[in-house]
Amino acid sequence: MKKVVVSGIRPTGDAHIGNYLGAIKYFVDLQNDDNECYYFVADLHALTTHPEPSILKKAVPEVVKTYLACGVDPKKAVLYVQSSAPAISELFMLLSNIAAVPLLQRCKVYQTQIKEEHKNDNFGLLGYPVLMAADILAHQANLVPVGEDQIPHLEMARDFAQAFNRRYKEVFVEPQAMLKKPIRIPGIDGKGKMSKSKGNTINLTDSYENIEKKLLVAPTDPKRARRNDPGTPNACPVIFEMHKLVSSKNQVKTINEECKRAGIGCRDCKKILIVNMEKMIKPIRERYKELETKPFIITEILAEGGEKAQKHIEKTIDAAANTMGIFRY
Ligand code: SF4
């Protein structure tokens, strides 16, 4: 039997190779593995941090364009915007009567956002795990791809499903986590993870010239000050790490050996990486550009996806509401 997979996408623009290798590629594999996939753009979740409305409005189609360009196929996966399936908001309302406030307050992610990131302490932020549970439980999801940091949220969704099923009757499937293999994508400045906020990214829409410009100045093993100095690839914070992600196994093996005996210079090593990076990004960049000329395609896909998602969840939400004593008149 097909497994139902649900996952949310944050509506942020300028996707980079970290987003692709760490998440989007995985979504494409899941859809191709004959699962029943529902991928949504989490516009309601985004409201918790008060994005500028015009920016949020623009970011939604942009993120969809990126996912389509990367290979998410609307014939294989349902792609929709969270707010276009309003039954999710209804389930959020129903589940909020199950969710214990102290449990939400103890949530580590919430605490970090309030205490360390000084985010606005609103109910949306506190109730984030309830809305996330609604996203998942509405579809009766079996599997939810998550990073380690999202496990507490998924456990809460399971808790709410169990609490509901215990208090009323068995309505919800308890979702299981599919732990994504963590992939470390270094920023081009060599100072930690690739991140849009640090401005150290290679974007999926970068031209060949941009990729070249960014990688040619990226730091390498500091011990290779001169061409003849032997290096330690594992001390090369950007280039060797990226080779491991985008170059062939043979190329990585050769670079590893040649770097150690100063058989290859850093510039030539970078050039090999630039070619491989371009090979990966070019088809994505070209599909993205093509989609930019056809905005109606995005509108159609999202309208159809919203309809399909709403249809898929209505039965479950009606069952949950009826079980709680709510009837439609
Ligand atoms: S040869 Fe390549 S792997 Fe070695 S230090 Fe230079 S850039 Fe890094």
Side-chain angles (χ1 to χ4, degrees), residues 305-322:
E307 224 171 274
K308 277 189 193 163
Q310 173 77 5
K311 209 166 156 206
H312 186 247
I313 61 183
E314 265 171 356
K315 219 168 122 195
T316 301
I317 282 124
D318 275 353
N322 292 349

Side-chain angles (χ1 to χ4, degrees), residues 40-227:
F40 65 92
V41 185
D43 60 342
L44 294 174
H45 281 296
L47 293 179
T48 55
T49 52
H50 302 164
E52 171 61 40
S54 59
I55 292 177
L56 177 59
K57 195 176 167 199
K58 208 168 146 253
V60 170
E62 264 173 24
V63 79
V64 173
K65 257 182 276 168
T66 303
Y67 273 70
L68 293 171
C70 290
V72 170
D73 180 352
K75 289 195 191 87
K76 294 181 180 171
V78 179
L79 197 53
Y80 65 102
V81 182
Q82 191 183 24
S83 59
S84 302
I88 289 170
S89 300
E90 187 182 353
L91 183 57
F92 166 63
M93 181 68 211
L94 299 175
L95 291 176
S96 66
N97 299 289
I98 304 289
V101 173
L103 180 75
L104 296 172
Q105 285 170 326
R106 279 199 302 274
C107 173
K108 251 197 169 161
V109 180
Y110 170 71
Q111 300 241 354
T112 309
Q113 285 173 327
I114 298 303
K115 290 182 187 154
E116 290 167 30
E117 297 171 21
H118 307 290
K119 286 195 178 153
N120 179 289
D121 190 3
N122 55 49
F123 174 71
L125 210 54
L126 180 69
Y128 192 102
V130 187
L131 182 55
M132 187 171 153
D135 292 321
I136 297 166
L137 302 183
H139 285 288
Q140 302 285 32
N142 306 103
L143 300 171
V144 183
V146 284
E148 235 166 289
D149 55 328
Q150 293 162 314
I151 287 185
H153 280 154
L154 184 71
E155 275 169 4
M156 279 186 165
R158 288 170 55 84
D159 283 350
F160 300 150
Q162 279 167 9
F164 186 100
N165 291 346
R166 226 178 12 245
R167 178 180 288 264
Y168 298 99
K169 70 170 192 189
E170 195 87 15
V171 170
F172 294 114
V173 167
E174 285 176 35
Q176 304 293 327
M178 275 177 103
L179 200 57
K180 282 186 278 179
K181 203 172 141 217
I183 300 178
R184 193 188 163 276
I185 322 277
I188 51 167
D189 54 3
K191 294 180 186 160
K193 240 172 96 177
M194 184 173 283
S195 143
K196 193 182 162 193
S197 61
K198 290 187 193 160
N200 62 3
T201 61
I202 292 184
N203 295 339
L204 294 174
T205 48
D206 273 348
S207 64
Y208 176 83
E209 291 72 25
N210 270 348
I211 298 169
E212 188 177 45
K213 210 160 99 191
K214 289 178 179 180
L215 289 177
L216 281 181
V217 296
T220 61
D221 174 6
K223 291 204 179 120
R224 288 212 70 184
R226 284 177 304 251
R227 171 67 182 79

